[in-house]
């Protein structure tokens, strides 16, 4: 990889401290993409993390553990480690239900974060970082999140903080290289004004590069709680209402995120992590046999559902609510009535389909997995820049800057330049007319050629002609009428279209 080669080449030419930072960048480049799950407290982040991993391991009830950052990564042996501020670690046993204990029994002010290693195939390609999030229980939780994700303001250490000859990473450098490379932002029904600031705070590119459509998507969680009558055009359908609301939220949060997708995290977690069992399916069969009017009355509220006198035990109904909530119970009953012979396994798959999790996974694959190397390389370059800047040595800073410019000038670095151009436009650093900004975002935010060209499903010949036409237009714009900053972006977009045309033709 070209960025790795740059780090190797620069290491002998920089200070020991900066070289140690480059070593950490190299380690990160060799690992899986790191995705931070961010959002407000009680937005259902941990439930969604469990669904994505396919195992109920992250505590979802408020406790000490939910006030800490937890990194879920692949390991050959399941284990949990508490990482303290001074760097030492303590092994933490799983609770009886297989989860990380909600209460740790230690002074969490001395804890940096938790590392969870799981023998889980999903984590071989992606490290998932669960965060306390915005509006957390205390300022310390937010601070721990910012430090681990690299969102804290970088500062130059005072002279008396420097240790002559030390090759240990200082806090500034550690923060510069410890950040997540991509963000999955969780919202519920109301997107508040400071969600924009929250997305900026959860910086995805390690060295203060803000999250954007390259490396951030959002999900509208708890979609089943939306009142369809509150969303015009829903026709009384909950999922239609959630889809329409997601589209509105996408317009609000763009260009910070590539998309907003509805999901029901609780149903997804229960269906994907083994929480939904055969006894649950049998209890739902009993409910499906009840009189329509009685069942409709029971499904008015959770209190009525659990307190009504019927053949299904109250404890069993409470368990169904904890796993599926009223929407999931209603949906499962409808499925059973349509398919009386359906097995528990098939019913679980139907519930998983209804949760919207698969669409989220597909979008994660398109936005993150398909371009993981490019996202990681861009984040690495941002880290390299921050490390050089933090060194305080002007000559070192210039040496690194010149090396990066040489790298970006190479043809094989086009993907990096496209990600950089997209970030510049999305953040407003380069001012472009609205229609051109949207085009840059579309070309840079999609892995599918049809989506990149704004012509999904179009014939190859039409796609090729359009790509060539737009390549010519952007080349002309770069030469005539564009500002110097716009021209730099335009040259990158021109080459993107030209490479798309070559790909279609070949």
């Amino acid at each position: 990889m070209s960025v790795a080669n740059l780090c190797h080449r620069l290491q002998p030419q920089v200070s020991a401290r900066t070289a140690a930072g480059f070593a950490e960048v190299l380690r990160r480049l060799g690992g899986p993409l790191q995705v931070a799950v961010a959002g407000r407290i009680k937005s259902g982040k941990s439930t969604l993390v469990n669904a994505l991993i396919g195992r109920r391991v992250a505590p979802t009830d408020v406790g000490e553990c939910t006030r800490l950052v937890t990194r879920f990564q692949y390991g050959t042996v399941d284990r949990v480690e508490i990482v303290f501020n001074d760097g030492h670690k303590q092994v933490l046993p799983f609770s009886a239900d297989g989860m990380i204990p909600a209460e740790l029994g230690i002074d969490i002010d001395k804890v940096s974060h938790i590392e969870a290693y799981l023998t889980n195939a999903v984590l071989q390609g992606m490290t998932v970082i669960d965060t306390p999030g915005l509006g957390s229980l205390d300022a310390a939780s937010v601070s721990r999140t910012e430090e681990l994700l690299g969102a804290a303001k970088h500062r130059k250490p005072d002279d008396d903080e420097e240790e002559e000859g030390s090759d240990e990473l200082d806090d500034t450098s550690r923060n510069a290289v410890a950040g997540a490379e991509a963000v999955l932002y969780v919202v519920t029904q109301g997107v508040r004004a400071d969600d924009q600031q929250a997305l900026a705070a959860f910086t995805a590119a390690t060295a203060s590069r803000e999250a954007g459509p390259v490396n951030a998507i959002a999900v509208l969680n708890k979609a089943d709680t939306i009142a369809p009558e509150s969303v015009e055009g829903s026709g009384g359908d909950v999922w239609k209402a959630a889809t329409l609301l997601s589209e509105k939220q996408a317009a609000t949060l763009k260009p910070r995120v590539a998309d907003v997708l509805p999901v029901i995290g609780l149903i997804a977690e229960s269906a994907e992590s083994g929480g939904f069992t055969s006894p649950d399916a049998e209890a739902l069969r009993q409910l499906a046999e009840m009189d329509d009017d009685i069942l409709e009355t029971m499904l008015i509220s959770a209190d009525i559902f659990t307190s009504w006198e019927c053949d299904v035990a109250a404890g069993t109904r409470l368990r169904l609510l904890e796993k599926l909530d009223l929407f999931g119970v209603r949906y499962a009953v409808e499925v059973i009535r349509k398919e009386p012979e359906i097995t528990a396994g098939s019913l679980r798959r139907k519930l998983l389909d209804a949760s919207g999790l698969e669409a989220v996974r597909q979008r994660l694959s398109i936005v993150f997995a398909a371009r993981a190397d490019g996202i990681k390389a861009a984040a690495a370059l941002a880290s390299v820049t921050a490390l050089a800047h933090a060194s305080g040595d002007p000559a070192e800073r210039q040496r690194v800057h010149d090396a990066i410019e040489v790298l970006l000038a190479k043809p094989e670095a086009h993907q990096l330049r496209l990600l950089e151009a997209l970030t510049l436009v999305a953040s407003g650093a380069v001012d472009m007319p609205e229609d051109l900004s949207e085009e840059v975002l579309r070309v840079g935010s999609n892995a599918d050629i049809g989506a990149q060209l704004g012509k999904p499903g179009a014939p190859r010949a039409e796609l090729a002609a359009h790509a060539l036409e737009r390549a010519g237009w952007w080349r002309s714009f770069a030469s005539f009428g564009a500002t110097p900053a716009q021209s730099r972006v335009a040259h990158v977009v021109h080459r993107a279209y030209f490479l798309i045309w070559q790909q279609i033709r070949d």
Side-chain angles (χ1 to χ4, degrees), residues 196-276:
Q196 289 277 10
Q197 287 84 7
L199 269 168
F202 286 98
T203 137
T206 48
S208 295
R209 213 175 250 191
E210 294 179 350
V214 173
N215 50 14
I217 66 172
V219 294
L220 168 60
N221 198 15
K222 305 182 181 180
D224 55 317
T225 64
I226 295 168
E229 61 272 12
S230 67
V231 181
E232 185 178 352
S234 68
D237 181 84
V238 171
W239 195 256
K240 177 67 173 176
T243 302
L244 291 171
L245 187 57
S246 296
E247 292 171 357
K248 291 180 182 178
Q249 292 181 337
T252 300
L253 292 175
K254 282 183 179 178
R256 295 283 186 204
V257 299
D259 207 352
V260 179
L261 299 172
V263 68
I264 306 173
L266 178 63
I267 295 178
E269 180 195 56
S270 298
E272 189 70 343
S273 67
F276 183 77

Side-chain angles (χ1 to χ4, degrees), residues 125 190 251 270 283 286 308 328 332 348 398 453 457 470 472 504:
S270 298
Q286 289 181 264
W308 195 274
R348 182 195 66 81
Q398 188 62 47
L453 299 178
R470 294 311 295 164
I504 297 171

Side-chain angles (χ1 to χ4, degrees), residues 47 56 224 264-271 274-281 284 316-326 328-329 351:
T47 299
R56 197 163 187 269
D224 55 317
I264 306 173
L266 178 63
I267 295 178
E269 180 195 56
S270 298
F276 183 77
T277 63
S278 294
D280 296 324
L284 288 164
T316 300
R317 283 175 276 155
L318 180 60
R319 188 179 72 239
L320 289 175
L321 274 187
E322 291 172 344
K323 295 181 178 184
L324 304 176
D325 213 341
L326 290 173
V329 171
L351 285 165

Side-chain angles (χ1 to χ4, degrees), residues 152-172:
K153 297 281 188 183
H154 302 305
R155 62 178 181 87
K156 178 183 175 183
D158 295 332
D159 291 338
D160 60 1
E161 293 178 319
E162 300 278 356
E163 293 183 20
E164 192 67 34
S166 171
D167 61 356
E168 290 294 317
L169 279 177
D170 57 279
D171 288 342
T172 300

Side-chain angles (χ1 to χ4, degrees), residues 8 19 22 34 38 69 82 95 101 118 120 146 164 200 225 252 287 315 326 332 348 352 372 375 434 456 487 501:
H8 283 301
F22 286 177
Q34 302 195 55
V69 175
I82 302 174
S95 61
L118 303 172
N120 183 290
E146 289 180 339
E164 192 67 34
T225 64
T252 300
L287 291 173
L326 290 173
R348 182 195 66 81
L352 185 61
I375 292 173
E434 186 176 351
S487 181
W501 172 75

Side-chain angles (χ1 to χ4, degrees), residues 240-445:
K240 177 67 173 176
T243 302
L244 291 171
L245 187 57
S246 296
E247 292 171 357
K248 291 180 182 178
Q249 292 181 337
T252 300
L253 292 175
K254 282 183 179 178
R256 295 283 186 204
V257 299
D259 207 352
V260 179
L261 299 172
V263 68
I264 306 173
L266 178 63
I267 295 178
E269 180 195 56
S270 298
E272 189 70 343
S273 67
F276 183 77
T277 63
S278 294
D280 296 324
E282 186 56 38
L284 288 164
R285 288 187 198 283
Q286 289 181 264
L287 291 173
E289 294 170 357
M290 294 178 63
D291 180 81
D292 283 357
D293 292 338
I294 293 176
L295 186 58
E296 280 300 316
T297 302
M298 290 174 62
L299 290 173
I300 289 175
S301 72
D303 286 341
I304 297 175
F305 183 73
T306 53
S307 61
W308 195 274
E309 290 290 334
C310 71
D311 292 338
V312 181
T316 300
R317 283 175 276 155
L318 180 60
R319 188 179 72 239
L320 289 175
L321 274 187
E322 291 172 344
K323 295 181 178 184
L324 304 176
D325 213 341
L326 290 173
F327 177 88
V329 171
R330 181 188 296 275
Y331 176 82
V333 166
E334 290 175 354
V335 170
I336 291 170
R337 286 177 169 176
K338 289 177 182 176
E339 303 177 48
E341 303 302 318
I342 191 169
T343 64
S346 295
L347 182 57
R348 182 195 66 81
R349 287 189 289 274
K350 291 272 190 181
L351 285 165
L352 185 61
D353 290 343
S355 73
L357 182 66
E358 186 56 35
V360 174
R361 280 185 167 154
Q362 288 179 359
R363 198 71 175 114
L364 280 171
S365 177
I366 292 171
V367 176
F368 295 163
R371 55 178 57 192
D373 288 343
I375 292 173
K376 286 163 60 180
L381 275 184
S383 292
V384 167
T385 302
L387 287 163
H389 187 269
S391 74
D393 182 347
E396 182 173 288
R397 188 182 307 141
Q398 188 62 47
R399 191 177 302 118
V400 173
H401 177 271
D402 291 345
I404 290 175
E405 287 299 309
V406 170
L407 170 64
L408 291 176
K410 295 180 179 179
E412 61 266 27
H414 167 72
Q415 185 63 28
L416 286 175
R417 287 187 293 171
L418 182 59
L419 293 176
E420 179 190 39
L422 181 57
T423 301
L424 290 171
V425 172
S427 66
V430 174
D431 186 32
M432 302 280 279
E434 186 176 351
D435 58 332
L436 297 186
S437 292
E438 290 179 358
E439 188 172 352
V440 174
L441 295 177
R442 188 183 69 239
V443 172
S445 300

